[in-house]
Amino acid sequence: MSKCSEKLARYVCKIIAKEREHDDLHHDSWFHHRSHGRHSEYHGPDLPTHLPAGADMPACTDTDGEAGLPILELPIKTASHVSPTLVSDLESQESTPTFAKAAVAKDFFPLNNGDTGSHPDSLPAVSLEVAANTLAAKVMANQPGMRKKASSESINKSSVDKLLNPSLLGRPDVAPYRIVLGHVRDKLVNTRRRLEELLEGLTDNYDPSEYYETAEQLLEPLLLCHESMEECGSDTLADGRLADFIRRVATFGMTLMKLDLRQESDKHTEALDAITEFLEIGTYSQWDEEKKLKFLTTELKGKRPLIPPSLEMSPEVREVLDTFHVAAGIGSNSLGAYVISMASEASDVLAVELFQKEARLVVSGDLGRPCPGKTLRVVPLFETVKDLRDAGRVIRKLLAIDWYREHLIANHQGHQEIMLGYSDSGKDAGRLTAAWELYKAQEDVVAACKGYNIKVTLFHGRGGSVGRGGGPMYLAIQSQPPGSVMGSLRVTEQGEMVQAKFGLPQTAVRQLEIYTTAVLLATLHPPNPPRSAKWRDVMEEISEQSCKHYRNVVYQNPEFIPYFHETTPEAELGNLNIGSRPTRRKQSGGVSQLRAIPWIFAWTQTRSVLPAWLGLGAGLLTAFKKGHKDDLQSMYREWPFFQSTIDLIEMVLAKADLSIAKHYEEVLVAPNRQQLGSILREDFLSTERCVLQVSGHQKLSENNKTLRRLIESRLPFLNPLNMLQVEVLRRLRQDETNEKLRDALLITINGIAAGMRNTG
């Protein structure tokens, strides 16, 4: 297909000119290497400096220099068909080879009207390069000194090199789209090779024009081809595979998915301590919040670097700074957000912004050019109950800083992302209290951003289990506070839920439809808020009592930690290498240092699922005693948040099995601690009765018959696996080095997790 728009023809000319320039440089470097390399080592007789007479003539010529064969006439326009203006431009001193080839595109390249020329005797289209070279030869023939230069350039060209490396650009049958898309293919190959070499630690020797850095660079030639096809009347071709490819590039860019970086706020504080102590201006961690904000804001507004090259630092501090250097070199085209775990103050966000600024100064100096992309968006993660309660205050203080607010508007379209942690809040205070605190935190941060006219996206750090905020996504989105889902939402999908939801194409499409529908409904028709202030007061009472009971059992009872270690496979999980991170942040500290995933996962294996329901029964009993039973039933019917919370806990209670949990205790727990298990089982039964009274159901999951059938169908497989796991744990704790027992334990863990679902 040779018809194209004039715009695409000009683009093709640039490609050809660039390719020709590259070939010339390649040949010159090769010739220089041959003449100064091996020849410089020659020590034989002197080589002749003059060629014999007639040696420069082809073998097909006679001795007088005249060829004995007929001259082949190519179907190319004569110089008379060339525009006088074009010839004048070519003869001018300001004309360049690229410009010359672009100028002849209109006369020698078939354009969108389908014509092959402006004259009726024009011949079928030929290669643009042939046309451009022929025109250039005609022009140079009439200029003194030009013939000699052209002749010398043609002699310098290596005929052998041309034979060994044939170029498609000189073939008359090559269409413009083939030239453009072939050029795109070559640059994509270079892009991949460059990234592979960078991953191997090799030096980047590629010229920026030889590879793609952004999706916009890749889209430019593709869109030109699409527009050209439409102008030429080839809409069917334009809207076919080319349009599909353009959509993929626009959707996934150059990297398919952007990765987020994540680090704890304490690590940033340690790095700033090292810097301020080296500069002898104090210890950053000992300053109050106002002094920290003043220091960070001053440095962010300044233009000089803060971190001296001679800074002495620990390996931990070096790792933090190196991470920012790598992020600056990669840029926002491949990386998404920088998430700050355990964020608690506005200074935590500004510290990351300062490290980004410092890293980009260093990396741009090393590269000799600006860093790719923009700075990463900084996302504070509020995890504990205390941090969730302070989230609104922290965001207001952050947005009150002029520099930060202007930075958001200039670099992130006035958009702030805030992450909410479901896992650690649930481990900290119990599922019910965590759910209520998350609900209030969302209301508070949305109001804070709205007050400063800043758009907000809430990033929900949910897990697969109910104890970590998991559950049906449609139900979860529909139960968010009004105004918290304004056309955008981010959630995490973890563990086995990724395979379960997106493992098959049909299932993945269905899940994306559920997400899209829920977000649209929550945006256009927000869920109902609490009908009256009394409902909020009742929730506060239930949450307070539930949190108190949960912490009394988990944190105040000295027998709980030993009981947890003995009755669950928590200790063995850390030795099986089935997680992406260590099970503990630190080896000491009890439950507080245990990560949320093994905390939930271990209890799920025993079929008690304690973190999801512990504390709820005590809170509901307190509300019943105060006469709020009717209010609770009304809240369940009319308030989506409360209804979804109760339904999810009811589902967990239906999946639990007290007889299996008791068997773990009888075989694995020391006799003096088994009394705690009896108390927990009584608490479970009390919670079940309270939940049924609120929901009005006669039995668990009465309103979800499909779930009940699924649970009952799995029991013949789940129960034997639990019995096997108990025996394997008993033997493994007597012979910890037995690899066969470890393999058997891993098999039972995978089987129980698959049967229970919602486990991590």
Side-chain angles (χ1 to χ4, degrees):
M1 179 177 178
S2 59
K3 288 194 275 187
C4 71
S5 65
E6 184 173 354
K7 191 174 182 181
L8 183 67
R10 296 179 187 276
Y11 189 82
V12 172
C13 291
K14 293 179 181 179
I15 295 176
I16 294 174
K18 187 74 175 178
E19 182 70 17
R20 179 61 63 194
E21 180 182 356
H22 178 270
D23 289 344
D24 291 342
L25 291 174
H26 175 73
H27 172 263
D28 291 343
S29 63
W30 177 86
F31 184 80
H32 178 79
H33 173 72
R34 295 280 297 178
S35 60
H36 294 82
R38 285 191 299 174
H39 291 179
S40 62
E41 299 176 359
Y42 179 75
H43 301 290
D46 293 339
L47 297 175
T49 57
H50 299 284
L51 293 175
D56 59 332
M57 295 298 177
C60 59
T61 58
D62 297 330
T63 56
D64 59 356
E66 294 295 329
L69 297 177
I71 299 176
L72 177 65
E73 295 290 342
L74 294 177
I76 300 175
K77 294 183 181 181
T78 62
S80 61
H81 293 158
V82 179
S83 161
T85 305
L86 176 61
V87 175
S88 175
D89 289 340
L90 288 171
E91 293 174 348
S92 68
Q93 295 180 354
E94 296 180 358
S95 65
T96 62
T98 302
F99 172 80
K101 293 178 182 181
V104 301
K106 185 174 182 181
D107 287 299
F108 285 89
F109 226 106
L111 302 180
N112 60 347
N113 57 6
D115 296 337
T116 57
S118 57
H119 299 272
D121 58 344
S122 58
L123 296 172
V126 297
S127 166
L128 179 62
E129 172 137 8
V130 175
N133 289 339
T134 303
L135 176 62
K138 294 283 188 180
V139 174
M140 288 189 295
N142 298 321
Q143 297 203 20
M146 295 296 288
R147 290 190 298 271
K148 182 177 181 181
K149 182 179 179 182
S151 176
S152 63
E153 288 181 353
S154 62
I155 293 174
N156 286 338
K157 272 294 181 182
S158 170
S159 300
V160 176
D161 184 58
K162 291 181 179 179
L163 289 173
L164 294 178
N165 301 285
S167 175
L168 288 176
L169 299 178
R171 286 173 46 183
D173 59 338
V174 174
Y177 300 102
R178 184 178 295 274
I179 295 176
V180 175
L181 297 178
H183 184 65
V184 169
R185 178 200 59 197
D186 293 342
K187 291 186 71 171
L188 285 174
V189 171
N190 289 341
T191 302
R192 179 166 182 167
R193 288 176 179 170
R194 172 178 174 269
L195 294 175
E196 290 173 346
E197 292 175 5
L198 289 176
L199 289 174
E200 295 175 0
L202 302 178
T203 305
D204 181 8
N205 294 321
Y206 287 88
D207 186 88
S209 63
E210 297 177 346
Y211 61 89
Y212 293 117
E213 278 190 331
T214 65
E216 289 74 16
Q217 294 174 346
L218 175 57
L219 282 173
E220 180 186 3
L222 300 178
L223 291 174
L224 279 176
C225 289
H226 188 271
E227 294 172 2
S228 175
M229 289 181 180
E230 287 187 332
E231 289 185 21
C232 297
S234 301
D235 294 35
T236 303
L237 287 176
D239 295 333
R241 297 173 65 183
L242 177 61
D244 291 340
F245 184 46
I246 291 173
R247 292 189 188 98
R248 291 191 186 99
V249 175
T251 303
F252 302 111
M254 299 292 297
T255 56
L256 180 64
M257 299 293 289
K258 291 186 177 183
L259 296 179
D260 288 353
L261 301 180
R262 180 166 168 173
Q263 185 58 276
E264 293 186 15
S265 58
D266 290 344
K267 299 294 184 181
H268 304 142
T269 302
E270 292 176 12
L272 284 170
D273 279 346
I275 296 170
T276 55
E277 290 174 0
F278 182 83
L279 297 175
E280 299 181 351
I281 57 177
T283 302
Y284 176 83
S285 59
Q286 297 178 1
W287 298 347
D288 59 31
E289 180 65 11
E290 294 303 323
K291 186 175 181 180
K292 290 179 180 178
L293 291 177
K294 182 178 179 181
F295 168 75
L296 294 170
T297 305
T298 302
E299 293 297 330
L300 285 166
K301 291 180 179 179
K303 296 183 178 180
R304 62 169 178 79
L306 171 67
I307 304 176
S310 59
L311 175 66
E312 298 178 359
M313 62 188 80
S314 64
E316 292 78 12
V317 173
R318 181 172 297 280
E319 180 185 2
V320 171
L321 298 182
D322 287 347
T323 300
F324 282 101
H325 289 164
V326 172
I330 296 175
S332 58
N333 298 321
S334 301
L335 300 176
Y338 192 103
V339 181
I340 310 171
S341 299
M342 295 295 176
S344 58
E345 294 292 347
S347 59
D348 294 331
V349 176
L350 293 187
V352 174
E353 293 287 6
L354 178 59
F355 282 131
Q356 287 201 93
K357 174 200 168 189
E358 291 290 316
R360 290 176 72 84
L361 286 174
V362 173
V363 173
S364 62
D366 294 341
L367 295 176
R369 56 185 174 87
C371 293
K374 299 180 180 179
T375 58
L376 307 185
R377 61 185 190 276
V378 181
V379 181
L381 168 55
F382 301 104
E383 298 184 76
T384 66
V385 170
K386 179 182 180 301
D387 293 339
L388 288 172
R389 290 171 178 170
D390 292 339
R393 175 188 62 80
V394 171
I395 296 301
R396 287 185 178 88
K397 179 176 287 189
L398 185 63
L399 296 179
I401 300 173
D402 294 337
W403 179 92
Y404 185 75
R405 196 170 59 254
E406 293 169 0
H407 168 73
L408 283 182
I409 296 173
N411 295 281
H412 304 294
Q413 294 79 47
H415 180 256
Q416 175 67 56
E417 187 174 320
I418 300 169
M419 188 171 182
L420 304 172
Y422 286 68
S423 303
D424 284 280
S425 59
K427 183 167 66 69
D428 184 33
R431 181 69 254 138
L432 179 68
T433 300
W436 178 233
E437 294 299 336
L438 284 161
Y439 187 92
K440 293 189 297 181
Q442 292 179 67
E443 291 180 321
D444 204 7
V445 297
V446 168
C449 292
K450 187 176 181 180
Y452 286 92
N453 198 27
I454 295 294
K455 295 178 290 185
V456 61
T457 293
L458 296 178
F459 186 3
H460 299 268
R462 301 158 56 91
S465 64
V466 174
R468 297 183 57 228
M473 184 52 61
Y474 182 86
L475 186 64
I477 296 176
Q478 285 298 296
S479 62
Q480 300 301 312
S484 63
V485 183
M486 296 303 294
S488 63
L489 181 78
R490 287 195 78 194
V491 295
T492 56
E493 292 289 1
Q494 303 179 23
E496 77 285 352
M497 301 311 298
V498 176
Q499 177 66 26
K501 292 185 176 181
F502 304 99
L504 298 174
Q506 297 83 354
T507 307
V509 171
R510 175 62 176 164
Q511 289 297 323
L512 293 175
E513 289 175 349
I514 291 174
Y515 276 67
T516 305
T517 303
V519 170
L520 288 174
L521 286 176
T523 302
L524 301 175
H525 185 64
N528 295 326
R531 189 179 65 185
S532 64
K534 183 180 180 180
W535 286 9
R536 301 184 73 95
D537 295 337
V538 171
M539 273 302 304
E540 287 289 350
E541 293 177 5
I542 297 174
S543 174
E544 181 180 354
Q545 188 60 37
S546 175
C547 179
K548 182 179 178 180
H549 181 80
Y550 177 90
R551 287 180 171 171
N552 284 340
V553 174
V554 175
Y555 293 99
Q556 304 300 326
N557 191 331
E559 297 293 329
F560 181 81
I561 297 299
Y563 177 86
F564 168 60
H565 291 325
E566 292 175 358
T567 195
T568 71
E570 180 268 332
E572 289 75 15
L573 290 175
N575 300 323
L576 293 177
N577 296 323
I578 59 175
S580 59
R581 295 179 293 177
T583 57
R584 290 182 172 273
R585 294 184 174 94
K586 298 178 181 178
Q587 292 303 315
S588 60
V591 177
S592 60
Q593 293 301 326
L594 182 68
R595 295 189 186 274
I597 293 178
W599 165 250
I600 301 289
F601 194 88
W603 284 111
T604 305
Q605 290 287 303
T606 67
R607 304 276 292 279
S608 62
V609 209
L610 178 139
W613 55 263
L614 183 61
L616 175 62
L620 292 178
L621 278 176
T622 300
F624 289 164
K625 292 177 181 179
K626 293 185 177 182
H628 297 313
K629 182 177 179 179
D630 292 340
D631 293 320
L632 290 173
Q633 292 175 342
S634 299
M635 291 162 63
Y636 178 80
R637 291 191 301 268
E638 302 177 28
W639 190 9
F641 161 75
F642 188 73
Q643 184 185 58
S644 66
T645 302
I646 296 297
D647 284 345
L648 288 174
I649 295 177
E650 186 175 346
M651 178 191 70
V652 170
L653 295 174
K655 287 185 174 183
D657 192 317
L658 292 185
S659 61
I660 296 293
K662 185 178 180 181
H663 181 65
Y664 275 81
E665 177 189 300
E666 292 173 343
V667 176
L668 302 173
V669 179
N672 61 324
R673 280 190 280 272
Q674 293 186 8
Q675 181 63 30
L676 177 58
S678 300
I679 296 173
L680 293 176
R681 286 191 293 275
E682 181 57 37
D683 197 350
F684 177 94
L685 295 174
S686 175
T687 302
E688 181 180 333
R689 290 191 293 268
C690 292
V691 167
L692 290 175
Q693 289 184 56
V694 171
S695 64
H697 300 156
Q698 298 299 316
K699 56 184 178 180
L700 296 173
S701 297
E702 183 181 79
N703 61 334
N704 195 340
K705 296 181 180 180
T706 301
L707 176 62
R708 287 189 60 82
R709 287 197 301 269
L710 287 173
I711 295 174
E712 292 171 357
S713 66
R714 297 172 190 157
L715 292 181
F717 307 96
L718 268 176
N719 292 342
L721 283 172
N722 281 114
M723 304 301 288
L724 285 171
Q725 187 179 87
V726 171
E727 182 60 22
V728 171
L729 283 172
R730 185 187 68 82
R731 296 185 185 186
L732 187 58
R733 289 174 182 179
Q734 296 173 356
D735 185 8
E736 296 181 355
T737 60
N738 194 317
E739 293 298 328
K740 291 184 178 180
L741 289 176
R742 289 183 183 276
D743 292 342
L745 178 61
L746 181 59
I747 292 173
T748 61
I749 286 174
N750 288 335
I752 295 171
M756 290 292 289
R757 308 288 293 275
N758 313 114
T759 56

